[in-house]
Structure formats: structure tokens, C-alpha cells
């Protein structure tokens, strides 16, 4: 408790300085941050937000990343990472809670989603786990954020885990749905029991040319099916789905998704400059930053049992089961619980 208070006292003025510096540098010196479009952000009768406001763009590594940002610029930064096949709207209910608590909230479109684009047509449309993690480090560098709370689920949870494990100095604390998701191509060669293999049906479908063509032709239908299977008790409406499905119309989306699942099984090559990182990840490193892991009681997607990964977290750690029919897209289905985890882990 004492350590936390001292750390906060030291970090708070530095965060204000860095936040102000980031705005000034981006606007006056680099001119890289731009607003590409605005969306209706009106609140409904319940007080909930219907969509995000302006989407910003910034060059970061090989990408021009689209992201939404809210809350005080000098607040403690929180980076929220979405999964597949979802988008930034997974956090539509989480962001206002964190803003009200004083956090600077940053929610990027991952590569292959929304307004995020590659700067070069020659860059491999690479979906390997290391590439997605480096993207977020590059985004933090571009925004001059030395350290942040990082939270996510699915692809975003894996990305958050990797940053916490490999760059703990950049991750103040971690919230990860379904816990420890770092993997390796070697580990993925091991066969699973038949019921577990059945849950990964789409991964095997994507290894075929028929699967690639099918996903390209029926992207929205495929995503909606995954939503229903992964969250069988979530009663989302067509408008909610359509709001997120717009992000799948990114020209690189299909290529990134197909490469991600083929790479996992060793059926597609990554980029050599990630080899050292992937070698470290293949050892399944411990995560020492303060962590809260979450799981929904109705998660229909493949996920490990909490007991299987608890020992991968060597720092202060807590696991929470979120009840009430909560599925795979936990932040959108249970925004209060997700936001509470972020606020609580910051106090560890």
C-alpha cells in the first residue's frame, strides 16, 4: 500500500507532463495525429454511450493506427485491446466508467481492423502474436506513453499478456480475460482431446483455401456466428453487431485473420525480425506485474481453466469469475466488472 502511494505521487506529475508534451509534440512538431472522422456519440435514455466520437490516426511502426481516446490527457493511461472478431466497441460501456474515474483511455483498432492501415503495400500482412504486441509498443512510443495499464481479451488479452511478460517496465498493471494466452508454434503442434479440437473448428477451416475464400465472402456472417457461439447468452441486436462489423471491412482484415491462425499451427511464416521475441515467448515467461484475470461463466469460446494458468502470474494476482451468463466478449457484456478490475488492479 505504501509503495503504491509513493509511486503514484512520483508518477502523477510525470504523467501530466508527458501527456501535455505528447499533445504539443504531435500537433506542433510531428503533425502525425489526425482526426479521420467523427461518429455519433450521443448517449441514449439509459445514459449509455451509443458509439465513440472522433477516431484519431497516428503513424506507429509499420502502421497508421486508428484509435479513440477519451478522459483527461494527464490521467493515468489505460490501453484497452479488442479481440477477433470484434472491435473497439467492445469497450463502449467500459470507457465512460474509466473516464469518470480520471483515466486517459486509449482504444486502438488492431492491425486489420477499422481505420488502421499499413504504411507500405510491401509489408507482410502478418498476424503473428509478436507483431500485434510490438504494434502496441509502437503506439505507446508514438503517443509518448512510457507506461500504462493494459487490458484486453482474446487477441487483445494475448497482446496484453505479451507486453506484461516481455516489457514489464511498460505495463503498470494487467487485466486479461481468460488469463494467460501466450502461445508458441511448437506447443501448438501437440494434439488436443477431440472435444477441444472441435472447439477450434474455425482454426482448421482457415488453414484451407476454401476457408480463406469462405471468410472473405461471408465475413460478417462468420463473425456473427462466432459471436453467438462464444457468447450463447448475450442477446445483442443487429445494430450492435453492425456497428462492430464495419471494422471488418478493412482491406487487410481477411489476410491478417487467416495469417494469424495459420501461423499458430506453423503453416505460415512470420517475419524474421520477430524471431527473437517469439523465441522468448515460446518459453512461456512468467508475468510479474500486478494482474487481475477474468472469466465469464458462459464463455463458449476455447479457453483454459483458471487453475491451469494461475502460477504463470508471479506478482500480486487475483482471478474473478463473472457470473450472470457472461460470454467471451466480457468487456461489452459486463462493462462494470471489467472497468472495476482495471481500477482495482491499479490499486494493487
Amino acid at each position: 500500500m505504501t509503495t503504491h502511494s509513493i509511486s503514484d505521487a512520483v508518477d502523477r506529475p510525470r504523467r501530466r507532463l508527458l501527456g501535455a508534451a505528447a499533445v504539443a509534440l504531435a500537433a506542433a512538431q510531428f503533425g502525425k495525429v489526425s482526426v479521420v472522422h467523427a461518429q455519433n456519440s450521443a448517449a441514449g435514455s439509459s445514459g449509455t454511450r451509443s458509439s465513440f466520437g472522433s477516431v484519431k490516426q497516428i503513424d506507429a511502426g509499420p502502421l497508421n493506427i486508428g484509435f479513440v481516446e477519451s478522459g483527461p490527457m494527464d490521467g493515468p493511461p489505460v490501453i484497452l485491446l479488442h479481440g477477433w472478431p470484434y472491435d473497439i466497441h467492445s469497450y463502449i460501456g467500459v470507457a465512460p466508467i474509466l473516464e469518470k474515474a480520471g483515466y486517459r483511455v486509449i482504444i486502438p483498432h488492431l492491425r486489420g481492423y477499422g481505420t488502421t492501415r499499413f504504411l507500405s503495400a510491401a509489408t507482410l500482412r502478418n498476424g503473428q502474436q509478436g507483431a500485434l504486441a510490438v504494434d502496441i509498443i509502437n503506439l505507446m512510443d508514438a503517443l509518448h506513453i512510457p507506461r500504462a495499464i493494459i487490458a484486453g481479451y482474446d487477441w487483445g488479452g494475448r497482446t496484453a499478456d505479451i507486453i506484461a511478460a516481455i516489457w514489464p517496465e511498460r505495463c503498470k498493471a494487467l487485466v486479461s480475460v481468460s488469463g494467460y494466452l501466450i502461445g508458441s508454434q511448437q506447443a501448438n503442434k501437440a494434439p488436443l482431446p477431440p472435444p477441444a479440437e472441435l472447439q477450434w473448428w474455425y482454426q482448421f477451416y482457415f488453414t484451407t483455401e476454401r476457408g480463406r475464400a469462405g471468410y472473405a465472402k461471408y465475413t460478417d456472417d462468420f463473425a456473427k456466428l462466432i459471436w453467438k457461439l462464444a457468447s450463447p447468452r448475450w442477446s445483442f441486436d443487429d445494430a450492435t453487431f453492425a456497428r462492430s462489423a464495419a471494422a471488418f471491412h478493412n482491406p487487410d482484415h481477411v489476410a491478417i485473420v487467416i495469417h494469424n491462425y495459420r501461423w499458430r499451427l506453423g503453416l505460415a511464416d512470420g517475419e524474421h525480425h520477430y524471431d527473437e521475441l517469439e523465441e522468448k515467448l515460446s518459453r512461456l515467461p512468467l508475468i510479474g506485474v500486478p494482474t487481475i484475470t477474468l472469466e465469464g461463466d458462459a464463455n463458449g469460446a476455447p479457453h483454459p481453466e483458471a487453475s491451469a494458468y494461475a502460477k504463470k502470474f508471479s506478482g500480486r494476482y487475483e482471478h474473478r469469475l463473472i457470473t450472470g451468463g457472461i460470454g467471451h466478449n466480457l468487456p461489452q457484456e459486463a462493462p462494470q466488472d471489467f472497468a472495476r478490475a482495471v481500477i482495482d488492479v491499479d490499486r494493487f
Side-chain angles (χ1 to χ4, degrees):
M1 186 66 68
T2 304
T3 302
H4 173 79
S5 300
I6 293 173
S7 173
D8 254 14
V10 172
D11 284 351
R12 195 172 295 114
R14 182 175 64 182
R15 284 194 296 260
R16 290 196 182 99
L17 177 62
L18 288 168
V23 174
L25 284 168
Q29 182 178 353
F30 299 114
K32 287 184 178 180
V33 178
S34 60
V35 178
V36 293
H37 67 283
Q39 300 172 329
N40 176 15
S41 59
S45 58
S46 65
T48 58
R49 183 175 296 166
S50 60
S51 62
F52 289 111
S54 299
V55 177
K56 300 178 180 180
Q57 300 291 140
I58 191 168
D59 287 350
L63 300 172
N64 179 260
I65 295 178
F67 65 101
V68 294
E69 183 175 31
S70 58
M73 290 295 292
D74 63 347
V78 177
I79 299 175
L80 305 176
L81 303 175
H82 68 82
W84 171 85
Y86 307 92
D87 83 323
I88 60 175
H89 291 96
S90 290
Y91 297 103
I92 196 70
V94 174
I97 301 171
L98 295 180
E99 292 166 26
K100 187 175 180 180
Y103 290 94
R104 176 187 178 188
V105 181
I106 299 159
I107 313 171
H109 284 291
L110 301 185
R111 56 170 59 195
Y113 295 80
T115 59
T116 293
R117 297 290 188 274
F118 285 86
L119 297 175
S120 171
T123 304
L124 176 68
R125 271 40 180 175
N126 180 358
Q128 74 183 101
Q129 60 178 359
L132 273 73
V134 172
D135 288 345
I136 304 307
I137 294 295
N138 288 337
L139 175 63
M140 292 175 70
D141 289 346
L143 293 175
H144 303 277
I145 296 174
R147 193 164 172 250
I149 300 168
I150 304 178
Y153 70 101
D154 196 84
W155 288 21
R158 179 176 297 107
T159 300
D161 288 347
I162 292 171
I163 294 171
I166 303 300
W167 299 279
E169 72 280 3
R170 307 301 299 270
C171 183
K172 182 180 181 183
L174 169 71
V175 174
S176 178
V177 176
S178 298
Y180 191 91
L181 298 173
I182 298 172
S184 73
Q185 290 179 318
Q186 186 62 36
N188 287 338
K189 291 180 180 179
L192 301 172
E197 297 282 22
L198 179 62
Q199 285 192 303
W200 285 109
W201 65 270
Y202 56 86
Q203 178 173 248
F204 303 120
Y205 180 62
F206 287 160
T207 65
T208 68
E209 178 55 27
R210 179 188 177 95
R212 187 209 63 77
Y215 188 60
K217 183 175 182 179
Y218 300 108
T219 306
D220 288 3
D221 291 337
F222 201 103
K224 184 176 282 190
L225 174 61
I226 295 295
W227 280 33
K228 291 177 179 178
L229 294 174
S231 299
R233 295 175 61 185
W234 180 31
S235 298
F236 60 89
D237 57 24
D238 289 342
T240 297
F241 176 77
R243 183 178 61 187
S244 289
F248 313 149
H249 302 163
N250 181 299
D252 302 308
H253 179 74
V254 172
I256 293 294
V257 171
I258 297 301
H259 186 271
N260 176 284
Y261 287 102
R262 291 182 179 180
W263 179 87
R264 293 190 201 190
L265 296 178
L267 301 177
D269 292 331
E271 294 174 275
H272 288 305
H273 54 271
Y274 297 116
D275 286 352
E276 182 178 351
L277 171 58
E278 294 295 352
E279 197 278 328
K280 292 179 182 178
L281 295 175
S282 71
R283 301 178 210 155
L284 305 180
L286 295 178
I287 292 175
V289 305
T291 299
I292 293 177
T293 59
L294 304 172
E295 190 59 81
D297 64 340
N299 185 359
H303 63 278
E305 292 295 327
S307 58
Y309 55 71
K311 292 183 179 179
K312 300 303 293 183
F313 299 96
S314 60
R316 184 169 176 184
Y317 171 70
E318 182 181 327
H319 177 73
R320 297 177 181 179
L321 177 67
I322 311 303
T323 61
I326 304 304
H328 190 59
N329 185 6
L330 193 150
Q332 195 163 356
E333 298 175 60
Q336 293 278 353
D337 294 288
F338 193 93
R340 172 49 55 192
V342 171
I343 294 168
D344 288 349
V345 81
D346 189 25
R347 297 170 178 168
F348 275 13

